[in-house]
Amino acid sequence: MKLRRWSLWQCCYVIVDVPEYLADSLFIQEQVRVSFGKEYSRKGSPYVLIFCRVRKKDEDRFLRALDRLEQKMLLMGYTDYSEFCSRLFAEFGEIKAGERQPAAAKAES
């Protein structure tokens, strides 16, 4: 998921990976330099959300690697990867649109 953050040289993304970092080898194959930021995971979930930055000139190769990540996840036995990503990014869209409050905001109310 691409994040809206203005930068002259870089694009910011949140990607879904696993603790074994399957995406790393795909970024290496596509010769994309990725700067990784914070990581978030939930107990019981096999997936990790990773914030990252990519140079704008490398964005096409980065997106190609992410397209291949879905196939690699299936081959490695993460059969619910596509469904997990769809649900997660749909939730982000609902929160962004104001249709739903984040869980942290609900707990404070």
Side-chain angles (χ1 to χ4, degrees), residues 25-54:
S25 63
L26 298 173
F27 296 144
I28 292 168
Q29 288 173 3
E30 290 290 337
Q31 299 178 347
V32 179
R33 179 180 287 179
V34 179
S35 298
F36 297 102
K38 293 188 177 193
E39 298 182 9
Y40 298 92
S41 62
R42 179 181 282 170
K43 281 187 181 178
S45 174
Y47 302 110
V48 180
L49 295 178
I50 304 171
F51 287 80
C52 56
R53 293 186 316 252
V54 180

Side-chain angles (χ1 to χ4, degrees), residues 6-25:
W6 190 87
S7 173
L8 191 58
W9 308 109
Q10 295 180 331
C11 300
C12 297
Y13 282 86
V14 174
I15 63 170
V16 178
D17 203 349
V18 290
E20 296 87 28
Y21 302 113
L22 299 180
D24 287 1
S25 63

Side-chain angles (χ1 to χ4, degrees), residues 17-107:
D17 203 349
V18 290
E20 296 87 28
Y21 302 113
L22 299 180
D24 287 1
S25 63
L26 298 173
F27 296 144
I28 292 168
Q29 288 173 3
E30 290 290 337
Q31 299 178 347
V32 179
R33 179 180 287 179
V34 179
S35 298
F36 297 102
K38 293 188 177 193
E39 298 182 9
Y40 298 92
S41 62
R42 179 181 282 170
K43 281 187 181 178
S45 174
Y47 302 110
V48 180
L49 295 178
I50 304 171
F51 287 80
C52 56
R53 293 186 316 252
V54 180
R55 286 190 248 163
K56 285 185 178 181
K57 70 177 190 172
D58 293 337
E59 188 175 19
D60 289 339
R61 289 183 286 163
F62 175 79
L63 293 173
R64 262 196 311 262
L66 288 182
D67 285 341
R68 292 177 42 218
L69 178 60
E70 186 174 350
Q71 297 166 355
K72 188 169 186 176
M73 289 288 185
L74 288 172
L75 289 173
M76 298 302 289
Y78 296 96
T79 55
D80 66 335
Y81 178 77
S82 296
E83 181 183 325
F84 177 84
C85 291
S86 297
R87 272 193 328 236
L88 179 71
F89 295 135
E91 284 181 26
F92 282 165
E94 289 174 9
I95 292 169
K96 182 178 166 187
E99 298 168 10
R100 185 176 147 190
Q101 285 186 341
K106 286 181 185 176

